[in-house]
């Protein structure tokens, strides 16, 4: 509640939104947290760009839309940028898709420079202007990652917006991506005051760093797990923003992500061949069979199936996986990976699958339905991340009774607890970030699966019974919103 007793009004400013424009975990969070906040009594709405294909996806999912009469305008690079506002309501949450030429390029440019960064600045200013086109004005702008970090910067340092006294929250889903590019001609074109470009604001080794600016300028900063909130204050984990994060730590807090548990539900999931639940696990065997068939492996094998659903980038530790290919094959387990990303990682996995074709299979690319089958059909979920802000995949895998093997880092450390602790747990964890560390945990999992089916079932049930709803975390965000309104 605000001082006047009305619900806090929050605008989610996000460049990814599941199920319309998801790329990774940020899209999942932006798609599910607003629903939970709404149930908690926050008046939350979402604004997001209509990237190519997004409006088609909206209509293919049968979501009804209307076009708002007024357009939204923003001034950037000496011209007016306008966008049509397409309004939709999904599970009670109002979403504004901004549709204009500015959003006709790729959602994440491969190279960042003034021109490719411009849509993100334009988007943030249009989010600030949205209140002039609709009959609703947010109390707080809730921004996510570098792609909307220009908004807090504008509220602090833009010639026009710094007068408006708006409040903002910067949520860090992954500090490794910062939005760094040359300052010329951005500084003049953006409308930011020239004095906003210095080492204690958004300047970063002579470049613009939007995320750094957003962290400094925002009223509050959150990140997606308590452990990651601590880790990012030290040098190793943030590619040199740790100093700023340490300096800003009094306004930083870690709030663990939840899941859309209705969407990720093995008992109602239409993308898997058989349903199952804690009470009746039988369907999981049919999912395993279907997955093995899809991979071209013997569907009747007793071997444990290890699955990975991931972006194939350095952060996720897949070099450890392909370097351990021989040892993994030796355990007798099958390893199925779905993902795409860096060439050298894809190559390493392809070589591993060619060397051990009876044990390792890569499904290259992004495939949502197949990812559901992987979660449902696997026995073990492997996630050996070098760093992991929160990680949703390990939680999804637990929902589907697939026991995680993870490195004890970031949000993995806050959600997966080793079964061999005296108090028990829901997975297998390791600390050392190398092949030996990972294999130590993976071998324990494979051995336990092979030799102790009763314990294995207990681990599955432990994971499936965890509370991964947004309820608790939505309450923490609500508290933060209300604190900012005091
Ligand atoms: P990150 O945000 O770092 O990519 P998370 O674990 O937080 O990692 O979220 C990843 C999300 O993206 C999960 O919902 C996961 O299922 C999904 N995902 C990742 N790779 C793929 C893929 N190749 N195909 C389908 N879904 C994927």
């Amino acid at each position: 509640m605000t001082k006047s007793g009305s619900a806090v009004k929050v605008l989610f400013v996000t460049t990814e939104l599941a199920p319309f424009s998801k790329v990774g975990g940020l899209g999942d969070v932006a798609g599910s947290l607003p629903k939970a906040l709404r149930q908690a009594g926050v008046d939350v709405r979402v604004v997001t760009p209509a990237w190519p294909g997004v409006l088609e996806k909206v209509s293919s999912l049968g979501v009804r839309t209307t076009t708002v009469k007024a357009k939204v305008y923003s001034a950037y690079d000496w011209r007016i940028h306008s966008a049509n506002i397409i309004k939709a309501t999904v599970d009670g949450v109002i979403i504004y898709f901004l549709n204009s030429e500015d959003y006709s390029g790729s959602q994440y440019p491969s190279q960042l420079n003034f021109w490719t960064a411009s849509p993100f600045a334009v988007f943030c200013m249009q989010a600030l202007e949205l209140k002039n086109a609709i009959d609703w004005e947010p109390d707080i702008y809730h921004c996510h990652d570098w792609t909307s970090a220009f908004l807090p910067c504008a509220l602090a340092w833009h010639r026009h917006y710094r007068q408006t006294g708006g409040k903002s929250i910067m949520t860090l889903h992954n500090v490794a991506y910062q939005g760094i590019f040359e300052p010329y001609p951005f500084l003049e074109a953006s409308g930011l005051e020239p004095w906003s470009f210095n080492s204690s604001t958004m300047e970063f080794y002579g470049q613009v760093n939007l995320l750094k600016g957003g962290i400094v300028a925002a009223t509050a900063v959150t990140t997606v797990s308590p452990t990651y909130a601590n880790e990012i204050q030290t040098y190793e984990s943030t590619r040199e923003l740790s100093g700023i994060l340490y300096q800003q730590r009094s306004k930083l807090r870690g709030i663990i992500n939840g899941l859309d548990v209705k969407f990720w539900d093995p008992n109602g999931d239409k993308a898997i061949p058989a349903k199952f639940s804690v009470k009746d696990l039988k369907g999981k065997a049919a999912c395993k069979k279907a997955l093995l068939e899809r991979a071209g492996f013997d569907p009747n094998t007793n071997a444990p199936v290890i699955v990975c659903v991931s972006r194939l980038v350095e952060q996720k530790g897949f070099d450890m996986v392909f370097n351990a290919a021989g040892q993994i094959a030796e355990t007798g387990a099958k390893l199925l990976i779905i993902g795409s990303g860096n060439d050298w990682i894809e190559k390493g996995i392809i070589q591993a699958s060619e060397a051990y074709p009876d044990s390792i299979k890569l499904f290259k690319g992004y495939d949502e339905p197949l990812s559901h089958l992987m979660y449902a059909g696997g026995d073990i979920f492997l996630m050996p991340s070098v760093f992991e802000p929160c990680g949703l995949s390990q939680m999804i895998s637990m929902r589907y009774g697939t026991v995680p093997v993870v490195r004890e880092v970031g949000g993995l450390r806050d959600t997966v607890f080793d079964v061999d602790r005296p108090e028990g747990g829901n997975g297998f964890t390791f600390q050392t970030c190398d092949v030996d560390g990972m294999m130590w945990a993976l071998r324990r999992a494979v051995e336990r699966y092979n030799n102790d089916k009763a314990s294995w079932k207990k681990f599955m049930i432990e994971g499936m019974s965890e509370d991964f709803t947004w309820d608790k975390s939505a309450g923490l965000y609500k508290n933060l919103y209300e604190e900012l309104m005091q």
Side-chain angles (χ1 to χ4, degrees):
M1 293 286 165
T2 59
K3 272 186 198 157
S4 65
S6 56
V8 189
K9 296 200 280 284
V10 177
L11 184 64
F12 255 56
V13 183
T14 178
T15 57
E16 274 187 45
L17 182 67
F20 312 112
S21 55
K22 165 179 156 180
V23 176
L26 162 58
D28 283 308
V29 171
S32 56
L33 175 56
K35 290 182 212 169
L37 287 169
R38 197 172 165 272
Q39 274 156 17
V42 179
D43 182 1
V44 59
R45 301 188 187 190
V46 180
V47 64
T48 191
W51 299 111
V54 165
L55 294 177
E56 290 76 358
K57 185 86 201 253
V58 171
S59 82
S60 76
L61 290 172
V63 177
R64 282 193 40 214
T65 59
T66 53
T67 302
V68 173
K69 256 197 202 142
K71 287 186 173 195
V72 65
Y73 298 94
S74 64
Y76 182 80
D77 196 16
W78 317 112
R79 60 188 186 89
I80 297 293
H81 296 250
S82 68
N84 287 314
I85 307 167
I86 316 295
K87 182 179 172 187
T89 304
V90 176
D91 293 327
V93 176
I94 295 176
I95 301 167
Y96 300 103
F97 294 97
L98 302 188
N99 192 20
S100 82
E101 277 211 338
D102 284 303
Y103 312 120
S104 60
S106 71
Q107 190 171 354
Y108 287 117
S110 52
Q111 281 247 319
L112 209 56
N113 53 41
F114 168 70
W115 288 275
T116 55
S118 291
F120 301 98
V122 168
F123 169 59
C124 288
M125 285 201 259
Q126 290 183 342
L128 287 167
E129 291 290 338
L130 187 66
K131 64 178 195 295
N132 297 319
I134 58 172
D135 188 18
W136 185 84
E137 180 172 353
D139 299 310
I140 296 169
Y141 293 92
H142 191 157
C143 304
H144 301 269
D145 278 352
W146 74 266
T147 50
S148 52
F150 182 79
L151 192 150
C153 299
L155 284 175
W157 305 310
H158 189 278
R159 271 174 220 129
H160 170 61
Y161 296 109
R162 75 189 183 88
Q163 320 285 352
T164 59
K167 295 191 166 101
S168 64
I169 296 177
M170 186 75 245
T171 291
L172 311 172
H173 297 263
N174 194 333
V175 180
Y177 302 96
Q178 300 174 359
I180 299 172
F181 54 94
E182 287 286 326
Y184 179 80
F186 172 76
L187 290 176
E188 289 102 276
S190 64
L192 296 182
E193 300 281 9
W195 48 260
S196 67
F197 190 66
N198 65 63
S199 62
S200 56
T201 55
M202 59 195 310
E203 187 271 340
F204 186 73
Y205 298 102
Q207 311 256 75
V208 169
N209 183 323
L210 288 177
L211 192 69
K212 180 181 172 193
I215 291 166
V216 174
T219 323
V221 180
T222 72
T223 186
V224 290
S225 71
T227 296
Y228 190 60
N230 285 331
E231 287 172 351
I232 55 179
Q233 296 175 43
T234 62
Y235 176 76
E236 311 88 83
S237 50
T238 64
R239 310 219 167 132
E240 300 172 48
L241 277 195
S242 52
I244 284 288
L245 285 156
Y246 180 71
Q247 187 197 70
Q248 301 286 327
R249 67 191 181 284
S250 62
K251 64 178 193 193
L252 169 68
R253 61 183 84 177
I255 301 177
I256 195 89
N257 282 338
L259 281 184
D260 184 338
V261 291
K262 256 200 197 151
F263 181 77
W264 295 111
D265 175 10
N267 205 22
D269 192 331
K270 293 198 180 78
I272 59 177
K275 302 192 191 332
F276 56 95
S277 66
V278 185
K279 285 191 195 122
D280 182 3
L281 287 167
K282 278 198 297 293
K284 189 161 170 78
C287 294
K288 178 169 175 176
K289 254 189 181 178
L291 177 60
L292 283 163
E293 251 166 30
R294 178 95 182 246
F297 292 148
D298 171 10
N300 297 312
T301 178
N302 288 325
V305 171
I306 304 168
V307 289
C308 305
V309 179
S310 183
R311 293 181 296 122
L312 302 180
V313 294
E314 279 166 52
Q315 170 198 341
K316 303 290 180 177
F318 278 91
D319 50 336
M320 289 187 264
V321 177
F322 63 69
N323 283 323
Q327 296 184 47
I328 295 173
E330 243 170 54
T331 67
K334 307 287 176 198
L335 171 65
L336 311 183
I337 300 171
I338 181 170
S340 59
N342 297 352
D343 278 351
W344 70 275
I345 298 176
E346 285 182 11
K347 241 185 228 154
I349 299 172
I350 290 168
Q351 278 168 3
S353 65
E354 285 167 356
Y356 303 97
D358 298 332
S359 306
I360 300 176
K361 165 87 187 170
L362 170 67
F363 297 104
K364 201 163 154 295
Y366 183 95
D367 185 334
E368 177 90 38
L370 179 55
S371 75
H372 289 235
L373 182 61
M374 303 268 291
Y375 288 119
D379 297 302
I380 296 169
F381 189 84
L382 178 61
M383 197 163 173
S385 304
V386 180
F387 68 93
E388 194 59 70
C390 176
L392 297 174
S393 301
Q394 80 282 10
M395 297 194 244
I396 301 171
S397 77
M398 284 190 263
R399 289 271 301 152
Y400 285 73
T402 304
V403 178
V405 173
V406 305
R407 190 161 164 256
E408 279 176 35
V409 69
L412 297 174
R413 197 172 154 191
D414 295 333
T415 51
V416 183
F417 307 99
D418 201 286
V419 298
D420 288 329
R421 298 180 319 168
E423 62 273 47
N426 54 18
F428 295 82
T429 67
F430 64 99
Q431 287 179 352
T432 325
C433 194
D434 60 19
V435 168
D436 289 347
M438 181 185 79
M439 286 311 298
W440 173 73
L442 196 55
R443 274 201 196 93
R444 278 193 297 135
V446 170
E447 277 162 19
R448 208 64 68 83
Y449 176 89
N450 286 336
N451 304 322
D452 188 354
K453 286 284 186 291
S455 294
W456 194 263
K457 191 171 169 195
K458 216 176 83 203
F459 306 154
M460 288 169 68
I461 289 175
E462 191 73 36
M464 293 178 87
S465 314
E466 295 283 359
D467 177 8
F468 292 126
T469 64
W470 270 108
D471 296 352
K472 201 166 153 225
S473 296
L476 296 174
Y477 278 111
K478 188 183 177 201
N479 293 346
L480 173 61
Y481 298 148
E482 290 179 350
E483 276 172 40
L484 296 192
M485 296 311 296
Q486 298 310 309

